[in-house]
Amino acid sequence: RRAAAAHTAAASAPAMTRRALFAQAGVIATRGIGELLDTAALLQSQPLPTGTRVAVVSNAGGAGVLAADACAEAGLTLPRLPDSLTADLLGTPPAGASTANPVDTDGSGGPRPAECVGRLAEYGGVDAVLAVLVPTAPADGEDDGAQVRELLRTASAHPSRTVVAVLPGQAERVRLLRSDDGTALPAYAEPQDAARALAHAAERTRWLGRPPGEVPELSGVDTEAARALVGAFLADHPSGGLLDPRDCARLLDHYGIPRLPQAWAEDEDAAAGAAARLTGRRGERAALKAHWPGMHHRSQEDAVALDLEDEDRVRAAWRDLSARLEGAMTGALVQPMARRGTELVAGVVQDEVFGPLVLFGPGGTAAEVLADHAARLAPLTDRDVHDLITAPRCAPLLLGHRGGEPVDLEALEQILLRLSRMACDLPELAEADLNPVLARPDGATAVDARVRLLPRRAHDPHLRRLR
């Protein structure tokens, strides 16, 4: 399910987000059909490499260097081979032969490439061996096919080591060479194709070796009450829509998501009274946020009044908003001004076919400008939520950048885990947006919430469904 979800939900996401979703789901994401077939050929025929260390063997120096460069570009490493090993491999090397990595047998009387591949396959300091066999003039009645057959026998003799071949003279992009005992060896026409296939296989090994993580148990969640709220809303709005601020607050409360205190007001007197109650302590100020059905972004509509220090200012702000919005305002949200903190955004988007994504990144006015958001498939495990918080480029700000005080990461994790649970419980939840979430050393609080519901039924999460 995660693999299918990552492929679909990432289709319209930025490239970095797509890669993260694919990685979380264990999907090998290729850049085309050719690269897909390259990787499939390796996975079908060879054991997975245990890491990214590759030894390159070539019978032509230039071809070996090109293959080594391709490996480096694909994110693989080419460790330096011990002098004792290269001396053992090559003895007294021919003039011009390389004893480093790549190993150049020079094709002129030195050791045969297959012999070097066999010794390197037994060496514990590399995870895979890439052999480049460039067509050469026949020697002693032997053609190039003899070298390929010998390489195939060598690979067959080392079934636990990943071995791939590059045969620049072949017509096919990739093909499987088969021995009499059924062993197959992938052979590529280009070193770049072989290197990328090896890199995908090494990443697969890393993903398989990662502990799966657990979905934490959450206290203070009232799923039944949340479902009742959603059902009541959709009964009144069969085509779906945005929850009003009161229902948004109730939904957050059902999942224990911390939020700023608020009161709903439908006239000037109610707004002034609510502000007095919420800012009872001396020095606190209030915020007045206009609302009307279908409203999307208050800040873009200039429908917010901040830093209101007394009832007179609240009343004046109400009259100003009412006049500017020309009677559209049906009420307003009254809140105390939030304390300073790092502004973040957290939310969920429910894919119509495959399920929910949890989103996280910088919030406030920077949210759309920076486009620094990360996403993970729900349900989030403890490892997923850690990856989600540390993925955005803004993550150092949360950890105490340049001597700053780090924010309460556990509180942030709880908000994301509770959003994940909400999205998994409620298939009707098309999207939820907490923006901003203010993160501080002593906690994290949602200041504004936007929730959109659509009539949906839950799908079996283990069945892939087509649009």
Side-chain angles (χ1 to χ4, degrees), residues 87-341:
D88 188 31
L89 287 173
L90 300 178
T92 302
S98 169
T99 60
N101 188 6
V103 176
D104 173 17
T105 65
D106 194 50
S108 58
R112 302 168 71 84
E115 295 175 23
C116 291
V117 169
R119 294 304 307 274
L120 288 168
E122 297 168 356
Y123 171 56
V126 296
D127 305 301
V129 183
L130 187 155
V132 185
L133 298 181
V134 176
T136 58
D140 299 326
E142 180 183 69
D143 59 15
D144 292 317
Q147 291 193 76
V148 173
R149 289 190 293 273
E150 187 177 3
L151 177 61
L152 185 55
R153 287 194 295 271
T154 300
S156 179
H158 299 85
S160 63
R161 180 69 71 198
T162 309
V163 180
V164 301
V166 174
L167 306 179
Q170 74 178 23
E172 303 92 337
R173 175 179 175 131
V174 59
R175 61 185 173 122
L176 291 179
L177 309 175
R178 296 191 181 276
S179 65
D180 294 337
D181 65 1
T183 300
L185 177 70
Y188 302 87
E190 298 289 343
Q192 292 83 358
D193 298 337
R196 283 192 288 264
L198 277 171
H200 286 311
E203 174 58 25
R204 179 68 177 170
T205 300
R206 187 202 66 78
W207 184 83
L208 289 172
R210 183 186 183 202
E214 297 181 356
V215 178
E217 292 291 332
L218 300 175
S219 61
V221 173
D222 192 342
T223 302
E224 292 307 314
R227 287 175 175 160
L229 185 155
V230 169
F233 177 84
L234 291 176
D236 293 335
H237 306 81
S239 61
L242 294 169
L243 291 182
D244 69 27
R246 292 163 291 183
D247 281 339
C248 280
R250 294 185 189 106
L251 187 60
L252 297 189
D253 291 344
H254 291 326
Y255 284 91
I257 296 173
R259 61 177 179 82
L260 204 63
Q262 66 181 51
W264 176 254
E266 296 185 352
D267 57 44
E268 178 182 329
D269 291 336
R277 291 192 304 273
L278 291 171
T279 61
R281 289 182 297 172
R282 187 173 179 179
E284 285 191 336
R285 301 190 178 198
L288 190 65
K289 303 177 180 180
H291 177 79
W292 60 90
M295 184 193 66
H296 289 277
H297 299 286
R298 289 191 183 91
S299 57
Q300 293 180 4
E301 301 284 350
D302 194 21
V304 178
L306 303 176
D307 288 319
L308 306 176
E309 59 188 20
D310 54 37
E311 290 189 33
D312 291 339
R313 297 293 179 91
V314 173
R315 291 178 181 276
W318 180 281
R319 291 191 293 269
D320 177 65
L321 288 172
S322 297
R324 285 194 291 106
L325 298 174
E326 299 179 349
M329 186 172 71
T330 57
L333 202 62
V334 184
Q335 293 177 307
M337 290 295 296
R339 290 188 292 152
R340 286 185 173 274

Side-chain angles (χ1 to χ4, degrees), residues 147 175 264 359 368 385 389 409 452:
Q147 291 193 76
R175 61 185 173 122
W264 176 254
L359 311 174
E368 296 181 3
V385 74
I389 285 178
L409 294 180
R452 185 167 65 93

Side-chain angles (χ1 to χ4, degrees), residues 44-61:
Q44 176 190 353
S45 60
Q46 291 291 299
L48 289 173
T50 53
T52 61
R53 300 170 301 174
V54 179
V56 175
V57 176
S58 170
N59 64 349

